Amino acid sequence: MKRNYSNIKKAKYYLDNNECVAIPTETVYGLAGNAYSSNAVKKIFKLKKRPFFNPLIVHYLKIRDLQKDCEINENFIKLYKKFCPGPLTFVLKLKKKSKISNYVTNKKKTLAVRFPKHSITKLLLRNLDYPLAAPSANLSTKVSAVEPKHINEDFGNKVKFILQGKKSKIGIESTIIDLTNKPKILRLGGLEIEKIEKEIKTKLNFKLSPKKISAPGQLKLHYSPGLPIKLNVKKANDDVAHILIIKRKNDKKNFFYLSKKSDLKEAAKNLYSVLRKIKKSGFKRIAVEKIPNIGLGLSINDRLKRAAKFK
Ligand code: TXA
Ligand code: MG
């Protein structure tokens, strides 16, 4: 990918001055600020209208930088070696001497950390002397952003700078694993739990229930396009947007494909842009075809179930 150094410089300028900048990642776009600066971190919460009790993920380039802030352990090293950089977030113990702002963690003694894979964001991190706190770049409870234009849709010109990248390759947020005790999945996401289980040789139970409180930010309504959603629908009326993953013979105006061949990777990549597109095209209700509950299908269903809490 062609790297635009003047944009990296611009992003660095804003971040060094405690402003928030939108950054591309392989999962979804993030709304980033200096994780060591309470001033910067407070601005993230304000822009997103996010409650302060919901802690942020901190993004690092290298293990060496992370070790200034967190205790690492054996499982972390195994998973880091296999999957990082990539769509996996670890919850680790925060070191006492860490400079992470109290606003990032809501004074918790743990920290969620991630190593993003996107080349532009890696280059940005290489040029900073602090890690980046970055939640997904959307308004709280709404659908995440996977393209720069989605950030404008949510924030207008309130975000000082958007570091432009292409559409996020994975399209849904990272999988979160808590490694502070017995490994536990807190959020399903872009890395299949089957792959994690294989690596740490541990069975990870994750119950697909939107009622379950795991990560603090997984409460109640989430990922919502602001329209009622019905799941496992074979046939929908013409006035209902029908989300599909298998190609139909004829096309219809209310058909929105996540994939045409039940490819779950492709479906995850398209999920948020399709939800945003439906909202913009004026449909008032959404019906979703059954999506297999395996691999990334689990993560897609988890998001759709939470979004379906909107009545
Ligand atoms: O893919 C991603 O993870 C994206 C990109 C931008 O990196 N970020 C993202 O951040 O999805 P956000 O803020 O939208 O979701 C972070 C989740 C929230 O549900 C939050 O409650 C949880 O991580 N979390 C953060 N710190 C935590 C901690 N110390 N313990 C448990 N959960 C934590
Ligand atoms: Mg989010």
Side-chain angles (χ1 to χ4, degrees):
M1 183 184 297
K2 196 168 160 275
R3 285 166 175 171
N4 185 335
Y5 287 94
S6 70
N7 278 346
I8 301 276
K9 263 193 176 165
K10 237 186 200 169
K12 175 176 162 54
Y13 169 81
Y14 283 115
L15 291 165
D16 284 349
N17 286 285
N18 293 326
E19 296 294 348
C20 304
V21 161
I23 55 166
T25 90
E26 76 282 17
T27 57
V28 298
Y29 274 70
L31 186 61
N34 176 353
Y36 292 155
S37 155
S38 292
N39 256 342
V41 173
K42 277 196 262 181
K43 284 181 190 164
I44 299 176
F45 281 92
K46 194 168 169 213
L47 273 167
K48 265 190 74 102
K49 302 199 171 87
R50 178 174 176 123
F52 276 113
F53 67 76
N54 188 6
L56 307 178
I57 296 177
V58 177
H59 298 66
Y60 291 88
L61 182 67
K62 292 202 174 104
I63 235 184
R64 200 170 356 110
D65 307 323
L66 165 83
Q67 281 179 294
K68 291 178 196 155
D69 298 318
C70 291
E71 312 279 357
I72 60 170
N73 55 39
E74 215 175 296
N75 279 330
F76 168 81
I77 292 167
K78 277 187 200 155
L79 294 171
Y80 175 86
K81 280 190 181 154
K82 182 77 182 175
F83 301 115
C84 293
L88 180 60
T89 292
F90 307 90
V91 174
L92 298 172
K93 286 189 181 136
L94 195 60
K95 281 188 176 165
K96 275 218 177 85
K97 59 171 196 209
S98 155
K99 288 194 289 182
I100 294 288
S101 157
N102 273 334
Y103 286 90
V104 169
T105 58
N106 190 30
K107 296 192 180 154
K108 271 163 108 58
K109 293 193 167 48
T110 59
L111 185 68
V113 301
R114 176 164 120 69
F115 301 86
K117 196 172 184 179
H118 201 290
S119 62
I120 295 177
T121 289
K122 283 201 302 192
L123 186 59
L124 173 65
L125 284 167
R126 194 162 293 138
N127 282 279
L128 303 175
D129 47 19
Y130 44 83
L132 289 174
S136 50
N138 54 283
L139 289 172
S140 192
T141 78
K142 298 286 190 261
V143 175
S144 301
V146 291
E147 291 178 63
K149 67 175 183 198
H150 299 157
I151 299 160
N152 295 118
E153 282 170 17
D154 279 21
F155 297 103
N157 55 10
K158 282 191 192 148
V159 175
K160 290 266 156 97
F161 187 65
I162 299 174
L163 191 52
Q164 303 270 333
K166 292 185 184 153
K167 184 169 171 180
S168 296
K169 273 198 179 139
I170 293 174
I172 51 175
E173 298 81 351
S174 57
T175 301
I176 305 182
I177 186 164
D178 184 347
L179 294 178
T180 55
N181 275 302
K182 195 170 164 282
K184 191 174 155 206
I185 298 293
L186 302 185
R187 176 176 74 182
L188 295 170
L191 182 65
E192 297 90 334
I193 48 177
E194 297 90 328
K195 290 189 183 163
I196 301 177
E197 287 175 331
K198 203 174 149 203
E199 208 48 40
I200 56 173
K201 301 188 177 67
T202 307
K203 178 89 191 129
L204 298 163
N205 294 315
F206 186 88
K207 230 175 124 243
L208 187 73
S209 159
K211 286 191 201 105
K212 196 166 164 259
I213 296 167
S214 41
Q218 293 294 87
L219 312 168
K220 297 177 290 198
L221 175 70
H222 207 157
Y223 313 111
S224 170
L227 300 174
I229 300 182
K230 219 171 150 193
L231 305 178
N232 304 327
V233 179
K234 276 192 190 144
K235 270 193 172 170
N237 289 341
D238 287 355
D239 62 340
V240 177
H242 200 185
I243 295 183
L244 303 168
I245 58 160
I246 297 167
K247 190 169 168 15
R248 299 298 196 267
K249 262 197 201 130
N250 304 310
D251 207 16
K252 277 191 175 180
K253 272 204 180 118
N254 64 326
F255 285 180
F256 293 85
Y257 285 102
L258 295 182
S259 166
K260 288 188 173 169
K261 43 187 194 306
S262 202
D263 176 336
L264 296 173
K265 277 208 158 83
E266 187 185 14
K269 181 171 178 180
N270 290 326
L271 179 67
Y272 292 139
S273 39
V274 162
L275 288 174
R276 283 180 178 264
K277 197 165 153 196
I278 291 172
K279 172 86 177 173
K280 279 209 287 191
S281 19
F283 284 94
K284 297 284 178 266
R285 279 182 303 148
I286 300 176
V288 189
E289 175 171 30
K290 189 171 171 52
I291 295 173
N293 241 337
I294 43 158
L296 291 189
L298 275 168
S299 310
I300 297 171
N301 283 328
D302 172 65
R303 279 147 182 79
L304 288 169
K305 276 199 170 186
R306 288 174 205 280
K309 299 217 92 189
F310 181 91
K311 299 287 175 231

